[in-house]
Amino acid sequence: MPSPAPHPPGRLARLADLTFRRRWAVLAVWVVALVAAFGASGAAGDSAADYSTPGSESKAAAQLLQERFPARSPDSVDVVWEASAGADAPVVAERIDALTAAAGRLEGIGESSGAARAEYSRDGTIGVLRVPLTELPGAIPMATGERFIELAEEASAGGVRVELGGQLISAAEDGEVSSETVGLAIAALVLLLTFGSVVAAGLPLATALFGLGISAGLTGLLAAVMDVPDWAPALASMLGIGVGIDYALLIITRYRSALGAGLVPRAAVAEAVATAGRSVLIAGTTVVISLLGLFLMGLPYLYGAALATIVAVLIVMAASVTLVPALLAFAGTRIDRLRIPGANRPAADPSATPSARWAGGVQRRPWIALVAGTVALLVLASPFTGLRLGFPDAGNDAAGTTTRQAYDLVSRGFGPGANGPLLVAAATGGQADRDAMGALAERLREQPGVAAVSPPAVSPQGDAVVLSVTPATSPQDPATETLVDELRAGVLADAGLPVALGGATAAILDQSQATAERLPLFIAGVIGLSFLLLLFSFRSVVVALKAAAMTLLSIGAAYGAVAFLAEGGWAGQLVGIDTETPVPPFIPVIMFAVLFGLSMDYEVFLLSRVREAYLARRDTGGAVTEGLAGTARVITAAALIMVAVFGAFALSPDVPLKLIGLGLATAIFIDATIVRMVLVPAVMHLLGERSWWLPGWLDRIIPEGGLEGHAPAPVPAAS
């Protein structure tokens, strides 16, 4: 039977051939981009963000304080000291004044009036002074916090103990742990075992390092023009490294297979990019779509996080279809040089590989596999029902840190609620309004759950008044949340003038509520756009629906893992979470966006091979077996790399980043094992030919071949 006439090479094949021929120019462009990014990072802004919720009552209170009380900073360093002879003794006050005077000369630290304006506990042994910051904590150099800690240690002598609290001090005390380096080291080991060659293993690492360097510089520039949370660069780095290595791994694996089939390097590069490169573009676009969904949340600080991460993904996508082919052109047939003895031995018969036998076993008992896999995911997701949203505070820090010691001293001297006072602010038009705020202060003192209310503080222009309300319970106590709701609905609603209740605890409650309200829109938007992309790519309604359903199950299991770790039990203690910790509201949102995109990566990797086999034989069962046999090794390696990169963030001292990394690592592991190896083959076997169902009217609308028309025609043998 004569072979069909080859189709003209598609766009990706032509791009691959161009990069092959112009390899030096392509490499030079990427080197120049890397150097430029390093140069730009020197002039970049610091990562900082405003976590308030637009349109909320707490945001209104914060804006009023900022406008009418310019000397009152919402962020501060709390200097807390204990002296058995009396915290307000002249010799102690002199030492505190010297400390705050020296600290006031540090960058980012505002002026303080010293011990004269401090608050003292009833027994007189504990004092607290809030030293204002001139900028957001994330925008102040870490050296400032480190020097402040040194000054406090120098002041702790002669029966005086000085501790410091605040975000700036927490960041300085934690220091920096290079989780990226740990992840890259583990990824290098996995690549060596997968490829069995130093040259082949080095190419994905080189691609990831190019992407990491360029995206880091661009993220810094982004921070100069918009709010970027301090954890966003680390998130962008971990995602960029993970997908960068994975995408290069997929293309290089296909290139080596093409070489093994007898193609010359130039033709092998064209085939690898036209097939595996197409999967990379689909997978990467799905990740970008998922991250764009963060804009539906209406929280400005998430915009910076989304853009920083999108930039990292776009850069590694571009590197995968341009830099990787250029590097493969340099390597040529030497891709397997410097082999590791005994590693990556190819199977003589692909149908006899463990993955092929596994797929056959699943398809012989599909209902058992489907039920067992689904039950396992639901059990893993069950802790999610007990998830408690909120922001960790110093009470969740390690027992030996100065921030935890300061928290405990404040709790002992002033009550647990003093670590998170509420602020009641109102614009006033005259003496009558100021009198009304005085009467409100008296009524607030009588409310259950209120430990103390400060005297009304009038703005310099006399046009605003603020009250500080100290709850009887700690910021994370559910009773404090109840108090906020009751005050807003009760005594504050009847105050006689418009008042706004703010403060850190109120801001967290407002953000949690806003997140819950917008989450359905966010989820629907991400799933809807991803469904359309998969429908376009695989020309199957069922495949797209199945992918969305499976991904939701794996995300639910990841949420369960995060909730279990945040409980502070034995599992949490293994990764440095010693006490029950609330989960910041942005973590479930960020995780959903990232995981939905990454889970689709493996769906695309697997189903691209399955669809190729199906189009060749029109046998769904055989296509699933062949697809698993052809991709199990690369998906396993890719998943191990992702787990290593994300799991390395367990070393981070930042609890939110730790939870994000461990949640993502858990989800990737679950997705690459239970979902891809059990549920997908079982469901596709049960559906059979219906897996590829597409209504006739959609068949006429969607172009044949998705993003890349057909397999490329052989490229001329010249290399």
Side-chain angles (χ1 to χ4, degrees), residues 43 127 187 211 235 251 291 541 556 697 704:
L235 176 65
I251 292 174
L291 292 168
V541 173
W697 62 275
E704 181 66 38

Side-chain angles (χ1 to χ4, degrees), residues 10-106:
R11 292 181 295 275
L12 289 178
R14 292 195 296 271
L15 174 63
D17 192 55
L18 176 65
T19 58
F20 189 97
R21 290 184 287 107
R22 300 285 187 266
R23 67 198 77 163
W24 282 107
V26 172
L27 180 60
V29 169
W30 279 97
V31 170
V32 169
L34 182 61
V35 173
F38 274 118
S41 64
D46 294 304
S47 298
D50 179 5
Y51 286 92
S52 59
T53 304
S56 66
E57 187 173 330
S58 58
K59 175 68 172 179
Q63 288 178 330
L64 183 63
L65 290 172
Q66 184 178 10
E67 294 169 0
R68 311 291 175 89
F69 295 84
R72 189 182 186 117
S73 172
D75 296 295
S76 64
V77 171
D78 294 342
V79 179
V80 188
W81 66 96
E82 182 180 29
S84 57
D88 59 348
V91 64
V92 177
E94 182 179 348
R95 186 174 299 177
I96 298 302
D97 289 343
L99 165 63
T100 55
R105 293 190 286 270
L106 300 175

